[in-house]
Amino acid sequence: EALNDRKSVHKKRIRFVLTDGTERTLDVTSSLLLSQDGEASVGVFLSISDATEEEKMRQKFYSSSQVFILLLIVVCLWIYVFSIWDYSGRGLPTYVMSKLLVLVALLPAIGTRHLLHLTYEDVGLGVRGCKKAIVTDSLLTLAGIVLLIVVKLFMMRFVPGFFTEGVPFFSFVKYPPLEYFTYALSVIGQEFISRGVVHECMSRVIPGKYHEVISIIVSSIMFGALHVHVGLVYMISASILLGALGVIYRRQHTIWGLCIPHYVLGLFIGILDFVVY
């Protein structure tokens, strides 16, 4: 091809697999070397550069954008379905809606073939630094419990009537035993969706130096809005909690430690009667 077009420069991206199964990508640029009179071809100039990392980033960008679009569609459909169902007067219990929410949101995250371009670390499921994260997040969880107790004491004094009359300060019997187990599974799903899917995908798609901050804000607001079936207080609480966990996730890049404060504080919001299910 180059021999038939002397004035052009030809570029081609070549992908191949090594014997050990590693996939590599090369950018090859070729052009003819002509004689001084420009009539005879005296050789061919070849430039070969390794584009493996660039190709991986391109694939991750494409995968992230596709997954995020699918998730956004699911979010919109969920809000419409909930609104129609609630308007009909046949609304399901909130704990059932919460479980359905996780299942629905997981469909685009797990079912799409584009996730094949992403590693476990890319979606927050890596175990590197997991032990340190668990210790740190456990201490933060204790601090969060203390803060919730202080806030409740403050509100009992200055916002009378907010909490349900006759309910103990700690209402551990508020949840059925099975709920403690199913909520743990729900928390893992929620963290995977909010961090591994929404946060990570947005951070790759959004340009600029503030892409991480924007990813935390948007993912927190969006996931808080998804709890519309639980009420405004829970929506705001979920957004604040997910926002704080998003800041921590920027340092840890794994969801496993974050599941601890999400699970414990999520339960304590109900145990302390901030939310009535």
Side-chain angles (χ1 to χ4, degrees):
E1 183 179 358
L3 294 175
N4 296 326
D5 188 359
R6 297 185 174 185
K7 296 182 180 181
S8 64
V9 175
H10 300 273
K11 298 180 179 180
K12 190 171 184 179
R13 176 159 289 188
I14 302 174
R15 301 186 187 91
F16 59 95
V17 180
L18 301 177
T19 55
D20 60 356
T22 304
E23 183 176 320
R24 302 303 297 267
T25 303
L26 297 178
D27 279 341
V28 180
T29 303
S30 64
S31 60
L32 285 178
L33 295 177
L34 304 178
S35 58
Q36 290 185 351
D37 56 10
E39 297 296 330
S41 302
V42 297
V44 177
F45 173 79
L46 285 179
S47 174
I48 302 176
S49 59
D50 191 342
T52 303
E53 292 301 320
E54 179 185 341
E55 179 64 19
K56 287 181 180 179
M57 293 301 297
R58 189 194 69 81
Q59 290 180 348
K60 288 181 180 181
F61 177 86
Y62 177 75
S63 299
S64 299
S65 59
Q66 295 297 312
V67 173
F68 183 73
I69 290 173
L70 286 173
L71 185 64
L72 191 60
I73 293 173
V74 169
V75 168
C76 295
L77 290 176
W78 167 260
I79 294 177
Y80 270 98
V81 168
F82 166 75
S83 299
I84 294 172
W85 192 278
D86 187 65
Y87 182 77
S88 67
R90 297 176 296 175
L92 294 172
T94 54
Y95 69 89
V96 175
M97 297 294 291
S98 297
K99 304 305 179 292
L100 289 176
L101 168 61
V102 176
L103 291 176
V104 170
L106 279 173
L107 291 178
I110 296 178
T112 176
R113 64 182 177 85
H114 299 293
L115 271 178
L116 295 175
H117 294 307
L118 304 176
T119 65
Y120 286 115
E121 286 74 17
D122 291 331
V123 291
L125 298 177
V127 295
R128 182 181 303 173
C130 191
K131 291 182 179 180
K132 182 179 179 180
I134 289 175
V135 173
T136 301
D137 296 339
S138 297
L139 295 175
L140 291 174
T141 302
L142 293 176
I145 293 174
V146 173
L147 178 62
L148 286 175
I149 294 174
V150 171
V151 171
K152 181 170 183 177
L153 291 172
F154 176 85
M155 294 182 67
M156 290 176 66
R157 181 176 177 85
F158 296 101
V159 191
F162 179 86
F163 299 100
T164 307
E165 186 176 351
V167 175
F169 192 90
F170 295 100
S171 181
F172 289 98
V173 296
K174 196 169 187 176
Y175 303 103
L178 184 60
E179 176 68 13
Y180 289 93
F181 173 73
T182 57
Y183 184 60
L185 299 178
S186 177
V187 163
I188 296 175
Q190 291 180 42
E191 280 299 321
F192 170 65
I193 297 166
S194 59
R195 302 292 156 234
V197 178
V198 180
H199 183 133
E200 288 288 358
C201 289
M202 287 192 63
S203 66
R204 296 188 187 97
V205 174
I206 297 176
K209 62 179 181 179
Y210 298 110
H211 63 100
E212 286 279 4
V213 176
I214 296 175
S215 300
I216 293 173
I217 294 174
V218 174
S219 61
S220 302
I221 293 175
M222 187 177 72
F223 216 74
L226 285 175
H227 290 82
V228 61
H229 57 283
V230 190
L232 179 62
V233 175
Y234 198 95
M235 290 170 60
I236 296 175
S237 301
S239 295
I240 295 174
L241 175 61
L242 268 294
L245 296 181
V247 175
I248 301 172
Y249 179 79
R250 287 186 63 188
R251 294 180 174 274
Q252 298 178 349
H253 294 287
T254 177
I255 70 168
W256 301 116
L258 296 178
C259 289
I260 298 174
H262 190 155
Y263 176 78
V264 176
L265 297 181
L267 287 176
F268 260 82
I269 289 176
I271 291 172
L272 292 172
D273 200 40
F274 281 98
V275 176
V276 178
Y277 292 98

